[in-house]
Amino acid sequence: MTAVQMSSTPGQRGHSAELRAAARRLGAAGVDRRGFLTVTGAAALAFAVNLPSAGVAGAAELDARKITEDPFTLGVASGDPLPDSVLLWTRLAPRPYEADGGLPATRVQVRWEIARDERFTRVVRRGSVTAHPEFGHSVRADVRGLDSDRTFYYRFRAGNWTSPAGRTRTAPARGARTSSLTLAAVSCQAYHDGYFTAYRHLAAEDVDVVFHLGDYLYEYAVTATGGARNHTDLVLPAHYNRETVTLEDYRMRYGLYKSDPDLRAAHAAHPFVVTWDDHETENNYAGGLPENSVPPEEFLLRRAAAYRAYWENQPLRTPQRPTGPDMRLYRRLQFGRLAQFDILDTRQYRSDQAYGDGWRVPGPESEDPSRTMTGAAQERWLLDGWKASDARWNVVPQQVTFARRRNVPTDAYKLSMDSWDGYPASRQRILAGAEAAGIDNLMVLTGDVHVGYGFDLKKDFDDPASRTVGTEIVATSISSGKDGAQKPANWNNLTQANPHMKFYDGRRGYALVTLGTERARTDFRTVSAVTTPGAPVTTAASFVTEAGNQGLTPA
């Protein structure tokens, strides 16, 4: 991730003097630069930035029949499948490049229906929900009472308009002995770096669920021609050509990204399980600490805006709704007895990066046992969840590289302070907790680095002969980094310096993982280019991991 210096002026854009003053008062009362607001402070900040915990029931209501332009320009999505439920999402935005989406500040009633067939001749549930202007006219329906392990089709209606249909799937029943599950892992989709071609191919794949591992959008400026996309048929509004800071900025940026037809196709085809990394807010932030030298209360205003826009624009349930600058994103999903997924948040609770971030020689600061990647509460939640797990595979979708990754094959190596290498004590506690819980089949899913990796996770990374305790699958970017290369410039150094690295490819794409009762198979899928549309997809490599015998073996 490339660092961008930002002055205090952009950091204040759109926040009134009164709001900044309120934030400063909160900062004096309850903000710790290495911590978070108190509960009272968080609630006060939520009020200060006009982010209510619920829509205002007294707001005027718009007759949806008076909407004269298609309000479903951002498509539909589903997420977080449970055995009897799935979350359905859309957002009304007749004009997606405008701050209000082209709708007045009024409530809109939206109807939804979910059926067993794509023609909707066998509708099993229907209902209505209110799109509130306070939430950017986003819509979510938590549909309950569905059959487990079934495919369903869904759509929305507002006035005379009908959304595109989406396809989703419920999870297997809690104790079901499911024999197979196929997931996709994706991450890092910088609009300005290229087309989302990989999503078009993913939409056609036969997968049960997609895990998005962070950097769904980027805060950086996007030119009128879309950066590397070089649009000739489209001129983007000037407000995209600046860094996102305010709630309006982030909402409009989601409007830009979700207007992409390939991203919409992938969301319509599969349920998504999402977690963020840094760029949904700001590059390489750590907890309550910004990347750049702005007051902490200013950054928390920005984080509150970013978190609110994230929740508005993703298929997430009400428990994930933020309060001010805080949002509980880590959560657990179970797919029968085959797989347990513990989705982590490695941004909101972490210690500040050691030695000023970047690639550094490790030392006492990075190796301090008190340093944490997850925060104490999330760490306990993860380890306790493993103790109670009876799943064949325990999978951890998260953001940054977990395995050790030396940059050169000499004693003068450096490690990334933003990854788990900058938090080795935290990593060791996680691995020790998995061992204590008797977790035999551990798999970590990772994004962030814009390349595909396959790692064996070692009990002792200093000893290549030590026991392999799990595997890590790192999904390359959808578009970030532009076209990439099969063998990046550091390919020789990294593969020689890290014998537990079994795969390294620098092209764009995604990873497919099929979990079975006896083995897991990973296919690294790549596209040849993203700066021009329409590139084909190929399988760069495939690996298997035998249940009970961890490690990646070429398929």
Side-chain angles (χ1 to χ4, degrees):
M1 295 174 290
T2 303
V4 173
Q5 294 301 313
M6 184 180 70
S7 69
S8 59
T9 300
Q12 296 178 0
R13 186 184 71 245
H15 301 315
S16 70
E18 292 79 8
L19 295 183
R20 293 200 303 274
R24 283 194 293 272
R25 288 194 296 273
L26 290 169
V31 175
D32 178 349
R33 285 188 64 87
R34 294 182 179 273
F36 300 90
L37 293 174
T38 63
V39 173
T40 302
L45 183 57
F47 176 79
V49 296
N50 193 29
L51 300 180
S53 60
V56 179
E61 182 170 338
L62 174 69
D63 183 349
R65 291 173 297 181
K66 294 182 179 180
I67 298 176
T68 59
E69 300 172 86
D70 181 9
F72 298 110
T73 60
L74 305 184
V76 299
S78 66
D80 283 17
L82 301 176
D84 68 340
S85 171
V86 69
L87 192 285
L88 308 181
W89 174 94
T90 191
R91 179 180 156 210
L92 305 182
R95 301 173 191 170
Y97 297 164
E98 296 181 9
D100 59 7
L103 289 175
T106 54
R107 294 177 290 134
V108 181
Q109 289 299 312
V110 180
R111 292 161 290 157
W112 58 266
E113 56 186 352
I114 189 167
R116 295 189 186 277
D117 66 307
E118 53 190 323
R119 294 186 177 182
F120 291 86
T121 62
R122 292 180 290 162
V123 174
V124 295
R125 292 286 185 279
R126 55 167 52 95
S128 65
V129 64
T130 302
H132 290 281
E134 295 85 4
F135 296 112
H137 287 108
S138 60
V139 176
R140 64 199 69 241
D142 190 356
V143 183
R144 302 278 176 169
L146 300 174
D147 292 337
S148 63
D149 204 16
R150 292 285 303 256
T151 296
F152 294 94
Y153 299 85
Y154 63 96
R155 62 189 178 187
F156 297 90
R157 297 181 189 273
N160 299 318
W161 297 95
T162 302
S163 75
R167 180 179 62 194
T168 191
R169 189 171 183 86
T170 51
R174 177 68 178 87
R177 296 186 178 276
T178 305
S179 60
S180 181
L181 166 71
T182 299
L183 65 91
V186 300
S187 72
C188 302
Q189 51 197 52
Y191 184 97
H192 58 275
D193 272 358
Y195 290 90
F196 296 165
T197 306
Y199 273 134
R200 177 62 58 176
H201 295 296
L202 178 55
E205 300 272 16
D206 184 13
V207 303
D208 297 291
V209 62
V210 176
F211 287 87
H212 198 292
L213 306 171
D215 293 344
Y216 190 95
L217 58 70
Y218 282 69
E219 76 276 28
Y220 303 145
V222 180
T223 65
T225 56
R229 294 190 178 208
N230 290 316
H231 292 310
T232 58
D233 60 340
L234 172 67
V235 177
L236 297 178
H239 59 65
Y240 287 119
N241 199 15
R242 67 191 189 199
E243 188 166 340
T244 54
V245 174
T246 69
L247 179 58
E248 284 190 354
D249 291 340
Y250 287 108
R251 281 176 171 169
M252 287 188 289
R253 191 61 56 94
Y254 281 104
L256 173 63
Y257 275 58
K258 285 180 173 289
S259 68
D260 182 274
D262 294 337
L263 176 58
R264 293 202 310 269
H267 272 299
H270 312 299
F272 272 55
V273 176
V274 300
T275 187
W276 56 39
D277 194 15
D278 53 341
H279 288 291
E280 287 89 351
T281 301
E282 180 196 52
N283 178 62
N284 278 25
Y285 79 93
L289 293 170
E291 178 189 28
N292 300 293
S293 298
V294 298
E297 62 272 13
E298 288 284 352
F299 175 67
L300 289 175
L301 284 170
R302 180 179 185 177
R303 203 178 84 173
Y307 283 14
R308 172 52 58 109
Y310 184 83
W311 184 80
E312 289 175 348
N313 286 279
Q314 299 291 11
L316 291 164
R317 288 188 168 83
T318 300
Q320 276 65 60
R321 187 173 62 203
T323 301
D326 302 313
M327 180 170 166
R328 167 71 181 266
L329 194 57
Y330 63 88
R331 60 207 189 278
R332 178 172 294 122
L333 297 174
Q334 292 164 319
F335 283 66
R337 298 185 64 179
L338 183 64
Q340 175 172 299
F341 296 96
D342 293 290
I343 301 101
L344 298 189
D345 173 358
T346 65
R347 279 293 157 192
Q348 189 175 181
Y349 314 108
R350 66 158 68 191
S351 306
D352 195 12
Q353 291 95 341
Y355 299 114
D357 205 357
W359 285 77
R360 308 292 181 190
V361 176
E365 184 178 343
S366 63
E367 294 170 356
D368 183 341
S370 69
R371 290 176 53 72
T372 179
M373 177 67 86
T374 61
Q378 185 178 194
E379 183 178 296
R380 287 194 302 271
W381 167 86
L382 175 62
L383 301 187
D384 288 346
W386 281 341
K387 292 175 184 176
S389 175
D390 61 358
R392 185 67 160 170
W393 299 92
N394 285 273
V395 185
V396 183
Q398 56 95 53
Q399 293 76 17
V400 293
T401 305
F402 188 84
R404 192 174 67 182
R405 188 171 38 127
R406 292 179 172 180
N407 69 328
V408 293
T410 68
D411 290 339
Y413 66 87
K414 295 180 180 179
L415 302 173
S416 169
M417 294 296 104
D418 189 60
S419 73
W420 287 82
D421 276 337
Y423 305 76
S426 191
R427 176 173 60 198
Q428 188 54 42
R429 289 193 298 271
I430 298 300
L431 291 177
E435 183 177 24
I439 299 301
D440 294 325
N441 301 302
L442 173 64
M443 178 179 289
V444 177
L445 301 179
T446 300
D448 181 59
V449 287
H450 310 169
V451 299
Y453 290 134
F455 289 106
D456 289 349
L457 299 179
K458 308 299 289 187
K459 183 176 177 63
D460 180 1
F461 285 106
D462 286 321
D463 179 8
S466 70
R467 185 164 62 91
T468 298
V469 296
T471 58
E472 180 178 13
I473 305 303
V474 180
T476 187
S477 65
I478 291 292
S479 62
S480 302
K482 301 181 182 177
D483 292 335
Q486 182 176 3
K487 290 188 176 183
N490 64 354
W491 192 91
N492 284 329
N493 274 338
L494 261 64
T495 54
Q496 292 174 27
N498 303 285
H500 54 286
M501 179 185 289
K502 304 302 180 182
F503 174 75
Y504 179 16
D505 190 296
R507 291 171 290 185
R508 309 295 146 243
Y510 50 92
L512 294 180
V513 179
T514 300
L515 303 175
T517 56
E518 301 301 323
R519 60 166 51 181
R521 178 188 173 101
T522 299
D523 296 299
F524 290 95
R525 302 277 277 164
T526 59
V527 295
S528 57
V530 294
T531 54
T532 55
V537 66
T538 59
T539 299
S542 300
F543 295 86
V544 295
T545 300
E546 300 296 333
N549 183 24
Q550 293 294 277
L552 294 168
T553 303

